[in-house]
Amino acid sequence: MSVKVKYELEFPIQSSPQLLYQYISTPSGLSEWFADNVNSRGEFFTFIWDDSEEKAKLASKKSGERIKFKWLEEDGTETDYFFEMKIMEDEITKDVSIVISDFAHSDELEESKLLWENQISDLKHVLGSV
């Protein structure tokens, strides 16, 4: 199996960091833009899209700033792969952006980036930030 490569994307978002954090850190917030449905039991999250289901463990979070999920194998063991969403706020301009860190196979990199662009577009619509 080929190794995935890490990449980062940054998207400007017209939103307060506090409101944005609610949409990236709660099952109800994530299910409005990231997946069709999101369930959580403690630190374990299940992301559901159409016919597929992926499980992840909450690896770390800092309220109002970032959240990181580590993907799990079918048997529940942690993989080396994660995705992280960080909220950045410019101290001077107060411009807010979200920085996504994720992994993809090199032959699927462009497709993965496009998927995030679509997801963030959905997030902006939910936030009224378009």
Side-chain angles (χ1 to χ4, degrees):
M1 187 166 144
S2 64
V3 175
K4 293 182 178 182
V5 292
K6 183 179 178 187
Y7 64 94
E8 280 192 358
L9 301 168
E10 184 172 345
F11 301 95
I13 293 205
Q14 306 291 316
S15 171
S16 73
Q18 296 78 13
L19 178 64
L20 182 54
Y21 186 74
Q22 294 303 309
Y23 281 95
I24 68 170
S25 65
T26 63
S28 60
L30 286 162
S31 63
E32 286 197 49
W33 67 276
F34 183 71
D36 296 333
N37 197 3
V38 180
N39 299 317
S40 71
R41 286 216 171 149
E43 60 189 11
F44 294 96
F45 284 67
T46 304
F47 299 95
I48 301 159
W49 295 272
D50 294 329
D51 302 335
S52 72
E53 195 174 283
E54 295 287 335
K55 294 189 184 314
K57 180 181 178 187
L58 178 60
S60 64
K61 70 177 179 179
K62 186 166 184 184
S63 188
E65 288 184 24
R66 63 180 167 78
I67 189 154
K68 180 178 181 180
F69 293 98
K70 202 153 200 189
W71 291 115
L72 301 175
E73 298 284 358
E74 296 275 331
D75 64 4
T77 58
E78 289 184 24
T79 68
D80 293 333
Y81 304 114
F82 64 85
F83 71 99
E84 182 175 42
M85 296 179 273
K86 280 189 270 194
I87 299 168
M88 308 292 278
E89 184 177 19
D90 186 286
E91 288 182 25
I92 297 166
T93 64
K94 297 297 179 198
D95 288 344
V96 175
S97 59
I98 186 166
V99 177
I100 307 294
S101 300
D102 200 359
F103 290 82
H105 293 287
S106 50
D107 61 338
E108 296 172 352
L109 194 57
E110 290 309 311
E111 191 179 316
S112 293
K113 288 180 179 180
L114 194 57
L115 182 62
W116 272 112
E117 286 175 22
N118 289 331
Q119 302 288 72
I120 298 298
S121 173
D122 290 348
L123 174 61
K124 287 180 177 180
H125 280 285
V126 168
L127 290 167
S129 162
V130 278

